[in-house]
C-alpha cells in the first residue's frame, strides 16, 4: 500500500463497501468533480485548481464511485511532513452515508501511520467540524475572513498523528 502519495491505489473487492469503490481521482473525473463542487460550495474551485492538484505527484486525490458514477472526492496536498486536506465533497443526494468518512479513512491509509494533517473549515459547517473531530482533529485557531464570498472565518484544525484509526 502507498505510503508517500506517489504510487497507485490498488482496487480490489476489499475496496468496495455497499457498492462504493475508492480509487485514484483522474483527469477524466473532472466534469463530475466540477458538478459536485458547484453544488457543494458557495465559492467552488475552478477546473484549473483541480488540474493543478492532480498534477502534483506527491498529493493524494481520491474518488468515490458507485454504479451511477462519481459520488465524492478528496484532494490532499503534501507540504514537507504535513498533509493539507484541501477539499472533500460528496454529491448532495449521497451525503450522510459515510462516503466522506470512507475517503478520509483511505487518505489516512495512503498517507501512512503517524502522518500529520491540517485543514480549514468554515466555522458554520458544524457537520464537517463534528466529522473531523471524530477522526481526532482538534481546533488550533482561526483564519479571519478566510472565505471571500462572505468573509466568514475558517477554523484551523490539526491531527497530529493519524494511526489509520477509523471514526468511532
Amino acid at each position: 500500500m502507498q505510503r508517500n502519495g506517489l504510487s497507485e491505489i490498488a482496487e480490489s473487492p476489499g475496496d468496495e463497501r455497499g457498492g462504493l469503490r475508492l480509487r485514484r481521482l483522474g483527469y477524466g473525473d473532472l466534469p463530475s468533480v466540477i458538478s459536485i463542487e458547484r453544488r457543494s460550495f458557495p465559492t467552488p474551485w475552478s477546473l484549473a485548481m483541480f488540474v493543478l492538484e492532480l498534477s502534483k505527484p506527491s498529493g493524494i486525490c481520491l474518488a468515490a464511485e458507485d454504479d451511477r458514477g462519481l459520488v465524492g472526492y478528496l484532494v490532499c496536498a503534501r507540504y514537507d511532513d504535513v498533509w493539507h486536506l484541501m477539499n472533500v465533497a460528496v454529491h448532495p443526494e449521497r451525503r450522510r452515508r459515510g462516503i466522506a468518512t470512507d475517503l478520509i479513512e483511505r487518505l489516512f491509509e495512503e498517507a501512512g501511520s503517524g502522518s500529520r494533517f491540517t485543514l480549514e473549515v468554515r466555522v458554520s459547517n458544524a457537520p464537517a467540524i463534528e466529522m473531523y473531530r471524530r477522526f481526532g482533529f482538534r481546533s488550533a485557531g482561526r483564519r479571519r475572513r478566510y472565505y471571500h464570498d462572505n468573509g466568514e472565518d475558517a477554523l484551523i484544525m490539526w491531527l497530529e498523528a493519524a494511526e489509520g484509526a477509523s471514526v468511532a
Side-chain angles (χ1 to χ4, degrees):
M1 188 62 69
Q2 168 188 330
R3 294 293 179 224
N4 63 7
L6 300 175
S7 56
E8 290 300 313
I9 297 170
E11 288 190 59
S12 69
D15 289 337
E16 298 183 28
R17 285 181 256 179
L20 186 71
R21 293 174 301 282
L22 302 179
R23 60 169 175 78
R24 266 279 172 223
L25 188 66
Y27 294 108
D29 296 314
L30 291 179
S32 297
V33 165
I34 294 297
S35 176
I36 294 170
E37 181 79 3
R38 288 181 178 158
R39 292 175 166 189
S40 299
F41 301 109
T43 53
W45 279 19
S46 68
L47 177 62
M49 293 169 77
F50 283 103
V51 169
L52 176 64
E53 292 306 318
L54 282 172
S55 72
K56 295 178 181 177
S58 62
I60 298 175
C61 300
L62 302 173
E65 68 181 352
D66 63 13
D67 293 337
R68 294 182 282 171
L70 191 89
V71 295
Y73 55 89
L74 175 149
V75 176
C76 190
R78 185 173 183 157
Y79 299 102
D80 194 29
D81 66 341
V82 176
W83 292 94
H84 184 189
L85 182 53
M86 300 174 68
N87 196 326
V88 180
V90 174
H91 190 287
E93 294 174 7
R94 300 297 309 275
R95 291 185 185 147
R96 312 291 297 170
R97 298 181 190 179
I99 296 169
T101 296
D102 287 349
L103 285 164
I104 293 169
E105 286 177 348
R106 175 57 67 85
L107 169 65
F108 290 166
E109 291 171 16
E110 294 300 312
S113 180
S115 295
R116 298 171 57 223
F117 295 87
T118 189
L119 59 86
E120 294 90 10
V121 61
R122 287 180 185 265
V123 294
S124 64
N125 192 345
I129 292 168
E130 178 56 33
M131 177 185 66
Y132 296 134
R133 284 189 174 136
R134 286 193 314 265
F135 277 112
F137 281 86
R138 297 293 170 243
S139 301
R142 286 182 181 230
R143 294 197 195 281
R144 301 279 177 215
R145 302 190 55 75
Y146 183 77
Y147 294 99
H148 300 288
D149 62 316
N150 65 359
E152 184 174 1
D153 291 354
L155 182 64
I156 304 166
M157 301 185 83
W158 279 88
L159 178 61
E160 285 300 326
E163 299 299 332
S166 61
V167 173

